[in-house]
Amino acid sequence: MIGKILYFINYRVIFMSDLNVLKILATNIGISGVDTLAMGLGSAIKNSVTEIQNYTKQTSDAIYYLQVKTFLETAELDKDDVNTFFQNNPDNQRLGAEIFKILEQTYIENQSQMMARAFSLYVQKKIEKPILDQLIYIITNLNQYLINKLEEYLPEDAITIKEFDLLHESIGLDSIFNPDGNYTRDEIAYDRKISSFFSRKYKNVPQALINFEFYKPIDMAITMDLETLPQQEYEPTRFFLWFVTHILKDSISK
Protein backbone atom coordinates (compact mmCIF):
# COMPACT_ATOMS: atom_id res chain seq x y z
CA MET A 1 0.00 0.00 0.00
CA ILE A 2 2.82 2.37 0.90
CA GLY A 3 4.51 1.51 -2.40
CA LYS A 4 1.39 2.46 -4.32
CA ILE A 5 1.13 5.76 -2.44
CA LEU A 6 4.77 6.57 -3.17
CA TYR A 7 4.27 5.63 -6.83
CA PHE A 8 1.26 7.95 -7.01
CA ILE A 9 3.19 10.78 -5.36
CA ASN A 10 6.13 10.35 -7.75
CA TYR A 11 3.78 10.19 -10.73
CA ARG A 12 2.01 13.30 -9.49
CA VAL A 13 5.28 15.20 -9.14
CA ILE A 14 6.43 14.19 -12.63
CA PHE A 15 3.04 15.02 -14.13
CA MET A 16 2.94 18.43 -12.47
CA SER A 17 6.48 19.21 -13.64
CA ASP A 18 5.40 18.46 -17.22
CA LEU A 19 2.42 20.75 -16.84
CA ASN A 20 4.57 23.54 -15.47
CA VAL A 21 7.01 23.36 -18.39
CA LEU A 22 4.20 23.19 -20.92
CA LYS A 23 2.48 26.11 -19.20
CA ILE A 24 5.62 28.19 -19.60
CA LEU A 25 5.83 27.26 -23.28
CA ALA A 26 2.14 27.81 -23.86
CA THR A 27 2.28 31.26 -22.31
CA ASN A 28 5.20 32.37 -24.44
CA ILE A 29 5.04 30.53 -27.78
CA GLY A 30 1.46 30.21 -28.68
CA ILE A 31 -0.70 27.41 -27.42
CA SER A 32 -2.83 30.54 -26.98
CA GLY A 33 -0.81 33.15 -28.87
CA VAL A 34 2.17 32.19 -31.01
CA ASP A 35 5.19 34.40 -31.61
CA THR A 36 7.89 32.10 -33.04
CA LEU A 37 9.61 28.76 -32.57
CA ALA A 38 13.00 29.94 -33.78
CA MET A 39 15.53 30.90 -31.12
CA GLY A 40 16.63 34.53 -31.37
CA LEU A 41 13.80 35.66 -33.67
CA GLY A 42 11.34 36.65 -30.97
CA SER A 43 11.24 37.58 -27.32
CA ALA A 44 8.70 34.86 -26.62
CA ILE A 45 11.18 32.04 -27.07
CA LYS A 46 13.86 33.86 -25.16
CA ASN A 47 11.39 34.30 -22.31
CA SER A 48 10.45 30.63 -22.48
CA VAL A 49 14.05 29.46 -22.30
CA THR A 50 14.82 31.81 -19.44
CA GLU A 51 11.79 30.67 -17.47
CA ILE A 52 12.41 26.99 -18.20
CA GLN A 53 16.03 27.43 -17.14
CA ASN A 54 14.93 28.94 -13.84
CA TYR A 55 12.35 26.21 -13.42
CA THR A 56 14.78 23.38 -14.13
CA LYS A 57 17.20 24.78 -11.57
CA GLN A 58 14.52 24.03 -8.99
CA THR A 59 13.61 20.59 -10.35
CA SER A 60 17.09 19.40 -11.43
CA ASP A 61 15.60 18.67 -14.85
CA ALA A 62 18.60 20.14 -16.65
CA ILE A 63 18.71 17.58 -19.48
CA TYR A 64 15.12 18.30 -20.44
CA TYR A 65 15.88 22.01 -20.48
CA LEU A 66 18.86 21.47 -22.76
CA GLN A 67 16.81 19.27 -25.09
CA VAL A 68 14.07 21.91 -25.37
CA LYS A 69 16.65 24.65 -25.86
CA THR A 70 18.37 22.73 -28.65
CA PHE A 71 15.01 22.01 -30.28
CA LEU A 72 14.11 25.71 -30.30
CA GLU A 73 17.51 26.71 -31.63
CA THR A 74 17.30 24.16 -34.47
CA ALA A 75 13.70 24.62 -35.60
CA GLU A 76 13.65 26.39 -38.97
CA LEU A 77 10.35 28.21 -38.52
CA ASP A 78 9.21 31.80 -38.65
CA LYS A 79 6.25 33.63 -37.19
CA ASP A 80 3.99 33.12 -40.21
CA ASP A 81 4.73 29.38 -40.37
CA VAL A 82 3.82 28.87 -36.75
CA ASN A 83 0.75 31.12 -36.72
CA THR A 84 -0.67 29.36 -39.78
CA PHE A 85 0.10 25.95 -38.29
CA PHE A 86 -1.80 26.61 -35.06
CA GLN A 87 -4.67 28.62 -36.53
CA ASN A 88 -5.60 26.27 -39.37
CA ASN A 89 -6.18 23.22 -37.19
CA PRO A 90 -6.93 23.32 -33.44
CA ASP A 91 -5.50 19.78 -33.12
CA ASN A 92 -2.09 21.22 -33.92
CA GLN A 93 -2.11 22.99 -30.56
CA ARG A 94 -2.20 19.60 -28.88
CA LEU A 95 0.50 18.30 -31.23
CA GLY A 96 2.73 21.25 -30.34
CA ALA A 97 2.41 20.39 -26.66
CA GLU A 98 2.95 16.69 -27.35
CA ILE A 99 6.22 17.42 -29.13
CA PHE A 100 7.66 19.00 -26.00
CA LYS A 101 6.36 16.10 -23.96
CA ILE A 102 8.08 13.67 -26.34
CA LEU A 103 11.35 15.58 -25.96
CA GLU A 104 11.33 14.51 -22.32
CA GLN A 105 11.90 10.93 -23.52
CA THR A 106 15.14 11.95 -25.23
CA TYR A 107 18.53 12.74 -23.75
CA ILE A 108 20.91 13.02 -26.73
CA GLU A 109 21.38 16.43 -28.35
CA ASN A 110 21.18 14.92 -31.83
CA GLN A 111 17.68 13.67 -31.02
CA SER A 112 16.34 17.13 -30.21
CA GLN A 113 17.94 18.51 -33.39
CA MET A 114 16.36 15.80 -35.51
CA MET A 115 13.00 16.27 -33.80
CA ALA A 116 13.11 19.97 -34.59
CA ARG A 117 13.79 19.31 -38.27
CA ALA A 118 10.98 16.74 -38.48
CA PHE A 119 8.54 19.11 -36.77
CA SER A 120 9.62 21.97 -39.06
CA LEU A 121 8.96 19.87 -42.17
CA TYR A 122 5.47 19.06 -40.90
CA VAL A 123 4.65 22.67 -40.02
CA GLN A 124 5.80 23.72 -43.50
CA LYS A 125 3.56 21.00 -45.00
CA LYS A 126 6.49 19.20 -46.61
CA ILE A 127 5.54 15.89 -44.96
CA GLU A 128 2.24 14.35 -43.85
CA LYS A 129 1.29 13.32 -40.30
CA PRO A 130 2.02 9.57 -40.82
CA ILE A 131 5.59 10.43 -41.87
CA LEU A 132 5.98 12.70 -38.84
CA ASP A 133 4.78 9.87 -36.61
CA GLN A 134 7.29 7.52 -38.24
CA LEU A 135 10.11 10.02 -37.75
CA ILE A 136 9.19 10.57 -34.10
CA TYR A 137 9.26 6.80 -33.55
CA ILE A 138 12.70 6.53 -35.13
CA ILE A 139 14.19 9.53 -33.34
CA THR A 140 12.94 8.56 -29.89
CA ASN A 141 14.31 5.02 -30.34
CA LEU A 142 17.78 6.10 -31.42
CA ASN A 143 20.49 5.69 -28.81
CA GLN A 144 24.16 6.60 -28.94
CA TYR A 145 25.13 3.13 -30.13
CA LEU A 146 22.76 3.31 -33.11
CA ILE A 147 23.84 6.85 -33.90
CA ASN A 148 27.45 5.68 -33.93
CA LYS A 149 26.48 2.82 -36.25
CA LEU A 150 24.78 5.26 -38.58
CA GLU A 151 28.14 6.99 -39.02
CA GLU A 152 29.42 3.81 -40.62
CA TYR A 153 26.64 3.86 -43.22
CA LEU A 154 26.59 7.53 -44.16
CA PRO A 155 26.96 8.35 -47.87
CA GLU A 156 29.72 10.64 -49.09
CA ASP A 157 29.47 14.42 -48.78
CA ALA A 158 28.88 14.81 -52.51
CA ILE A 159 25.51 13.13 -51.96
CA THR A 160 24.44 14.66 -48.66
CA ILE A 161 25.03 18.29 -49.69
CA LYS A 162 21.75 18.00 -51.60
CA GLU A 163 18.39 17.03 -50.11
CA PHE A 164 17.36 13.74 -51.66
CA ASP A 165 13.97 13.64 -53.38
CA LEU A 166 12.06 10.40 -52.78
CA LEU A 167 10.62 10.78 -56.28
CA HIS A 168 14.08 11.05 -57.84
CA GLU A 169 14.38 8.92 -60.98
CA SER A 170 17.67 7.63 -62.28
CA ILE A 171 18.90 9.35 -65.43
CA GLY A 172 19.95 6.03 -66.93
CA LEU A 173 22.68 5.29 -69.46
CA ASP A 174 20.47 5.90 -72.50
CA SER A 175 19.70 9.43 -71.34
CA ILE A 176 23.34 10.12 -70.51
CA PHE A 177 24.52 9.26 -74.02
CA ASN A 178 21.54 10.94 -75.65
CA PRO A 179 22.69 14.34 -77.00
CA ASP A 180 19.19 15.70 -76.39
CA GLY A 181 19.20 14.66 -72.75
CA ASN A 182 19.98 18.17 -71.49
CA TYR A 183 21.66 16.94 -68.30
CA THR A 184 24.52 18.86 -66.76
CA ARG A 185 27.73 17.20 -65.65
CA ASP A 186 26.81 17.84 -62.02
CA GLU A 187 23.42 16.15 -62.47
CA ILE A 188 25.00 13.12 -64.12
CA ALA A 189 27.71 12.90 -61.44
CA TYR A 190 25.11 13.14 -58.68
CA ASP A 191 22.96 10.46 -60.28
CA ARG A 192 25.92 8.09 -60.60
CA LYS A 193 26.92 8.59 -56.97
CA ILE A 194 23.37 7.87 -55.81
CA SER A 195 23.22 4.71 -57.91
CA SER A 196 26.53 3.61 -56.45
CA PHE A 197 25.30 4.27 -52.92
CA PHE A 198 22.14 2.22 -53.38
CA SER A 199 24.17 -0.68 -54.77
CA ARG A 200 26.24 -1.02 -51.59
CA LYS A 201 25.89 -4.27 -49.68
CA TYR A 202 26.32 -4.71 -45.94
CA LYS A 203 26.29 -7.62 -43.52
CA ASN A 204 25.44 -7.61 -39.82
CA VAL A 205 23.25 -4.51 -40.05
CA PRO A 206 21.66 -3.78 -36.63
CA GLN A 207 18.06 -5.00 -36.54
CA ALA A 208 16.88 -1.57 -35.38
CA LEU A 209 18.09 0.06 -38.61
CA ILE A 210 16.20 -2.57 -40.57
CA ASN A 211 13.09 -1.94 -38.47
CA PHE A 212 13.46 1.79 -39.19
CA GLU A 213 13.30 0.89 -42.93
CA PHE A 214 16.80 2.27 -43.45
CA TYR A 215 18.03 -1.06 -44.85
CA LYS A 216 16.30 -3.94 -46.57
CA PRO A 217 17.44 -7.54 -47.14
CA ILE A 218 18.74 -8.48 -50.56
CA ASP A 219 17.09 -11.53 -52.13
CA MET A 220 19.40 -14.52 -52.09
CA ALA A 221 19.47 -17.25 -54.72
CA ILE A 222 19.13 -20.58 -52.91
CA THR A 223 20.18 -23.77 -54.68
CA MET A 224 20.02 -27.39 -53.54
CA ASP A 225 23.79 -27.90 -53.70
CA LEU A 226 24.55 -25.34 -50.99
CA GLU A 227 25.98 -26.90 -47.83
CA THR A 228 25.46 -23.74 -45.79
CA LEU A 229 23.29 -20.72 -46.39
CA PRO A 230 25.16 -17.54 -47.37
CA GLN A 231 25.09 -14.69 -44.87
CA GLN A 232 22.23 -12.27 -45.44
CA GLU A 233 23.22 -8.96 -47.02
CA TYR A 234 21.39 -5.64 -46.87
CA GLU A 235 21.19 -2.55 -49.04
CA PRO A 236 20.25 1.05 -48.15
CA THR A 237 16.76 2.30 -48.93
CA ARG A 238 15.63 5.52 -50.53
CA PHE A 239 13.99 6.45 -47.23
CA PHE A 240 17.36 6.18 -45.45
CA LEU A 241 18.97 8.66 -47.85
CA TRP A 242 15.98 10.97 -47.45
CA PHE A 243 16.30 10.73 -43.66
CA VAL A 244 20.04 11.47 -43.80
CA THR A 245 19.67 14.58 -45.97
CA HIS A 246 16.52 16.01 -44.38
CA ILE A 247 16.61 14.96 -40.72
CA LEU A 248 20.13 13.89 -39.84
CA LYS A 249 21.91 16.64 -41.74
CA ASP A 250 24.60 18.11 -39.48
CA SER A 251 23.47 16.16 -36.41
CA ILE A 252 26.33 13.71 -36.94
CA SER A 253 29.86 14.75 -37.75
CA LYS A 254 31.14 13.00 -40.86
Side-chain angles (χ1 to χ4, degrees):
M1 183 67 176
I2 295 177
K4 291 183 178 180
I5 294 175
L6 290 175
Y7 173 83
F8 174 78
I9 292 174
N10 289 332
Y11 174 83
R12 180 71 175 175
V13 169
I14 294 172
F15 179 71
M16 289 305 296
S17 68
D18 295 336
L19 288 181
N20 288 335
V21 172
L22 291 177
K23 183 178 179 181
I24 292 170
L25 291 165
T27 300
N28 289 319
I29 65 173
I31 301 301
S32 56
V34 177
D35 182 1
T36 178
L37 279 183
M39 172 66 70
L41 294 182
S43 60
I45 294 305
K46 292 182 179 179
N47 292 339
S48 293
V49 172
T50 299
E51 291 185 39
I52 292 173
Q53 185 177 33
N54 292 333
Y55 175 74
T56 53
K57 287 180 180 178
Q58 302 173 18
T59 62
S60 299
D61 200 5
I63 292 181
Y64 182 38
Y65 158 70
L66 291 174
Q67 290 296 83
V68 171
K69 181 176 181 294
T70 299
F71 176 92
L72 297 173
E73 291 174 337
T74 306
E76 299 173 355
L77 299 171
D78 58 28
K79 181 178 180 179
D80 291 337
D81 287 332
V82 181
N83 277 327
T84 301
F85 174 73
F86 283 107
Q87 290 174 1
N88 286 353
N89 187 347
D91 289 341
N92 287 338
Q93 296 181 8
R94 179 179 179 85
L95 174 62
E98 288 176 350
I99 290 294
F100 289 103
K101 175 64 178 175
I102 291 170
L103 281 173
E104 190 181 25
Q105 304 173 30
T106 68
Y107 59 94
I108 302 173
E109 183 180 24
N110 291 334
Q111 288 177 295
S112 56
Q113 293 171 342
M114 290 185 280
M115 191 74 73
R117 295 189 181 105
F119 184 66
S120 297
L121 289 175
Y122 181 68
V123 171
Q124 296 163 356
K125 296 184 178 180
K126 295 181 179 179
I127 59 174
E128 299 295 329
K129 184 60 163 55
I131 298 298
L132 176 64
D133 293 337
Q134 182 181 8
L135 294 174
I136 290 174
Y137 166 76
I138 292 171
I139 295 167
T140 53
N141 282 278
L142 281 172
N143 53 35
Q144 193 58 57
Y145 167 75
L146 291 175
I147 291 176
N148 291 341
K149 293 299 293 185
L150 282 178
E151 289 186 312
E152 301 176 13
Y153 300 119
L154 289 179
E156 57 190 285
D157 292 345
I159 294 178
T160 58
I161 58 174
K162 181 179 179 180
E163 291 184 342
F164 178 69
D165 183 358
L166 282 174
L167 300 179
H168 172 82
E169 295 184 4
S170 176
I171 293 176
L173 293 177
D174 292 340
S175 298
I176 291 176
F177 294 110
N178 182 354
D180 299 324
N182 296 323
Y183 293 106
T184 67
R185 289 185 178 180
D186 288 342
E187 289 174 330
I188 294 174
Y190 175 76
D191 185 77
R192 288 180 176 177
K193 290 182 184 299
I194 286 181
S195 297
S196 176
F197 173 71
F198 286 135
S199 66
R200 294 180 184 178
K201 299 178 181 179
Y202 296 90
K203 299 177 181 179
N204 301 318
V205 175
Q207 185 62 46
L209 301 186
I210 300 170
N211 294 342
F212 294 159
E213 299 181 17
F214 288 168
Y215 278 80
K216 61 182 180 181
I218 299 174
D219 292 337
M220 297 186 298
I222 306 298
T223 60
M224 297 299 294
D225 59 342
L226 287 177
E227 295 183 4
T228 59
L229 292 177
Q231 187 174 0
Q232 178 67 63
E233 293 182 320
Y234 301 86
E235 60 186 5
T237 64
R238 296 169 67 88
F239 176 66
F240 176 56
L241 185 54
W242 182 91
F243 182 89
V244 168
T245 59
H246 286 80
I247 305 300
L248 214 55
K249 285 189 172 180
D250 298 327
S251 293
I252 297 180
S253 59
K254 301 173 186 177

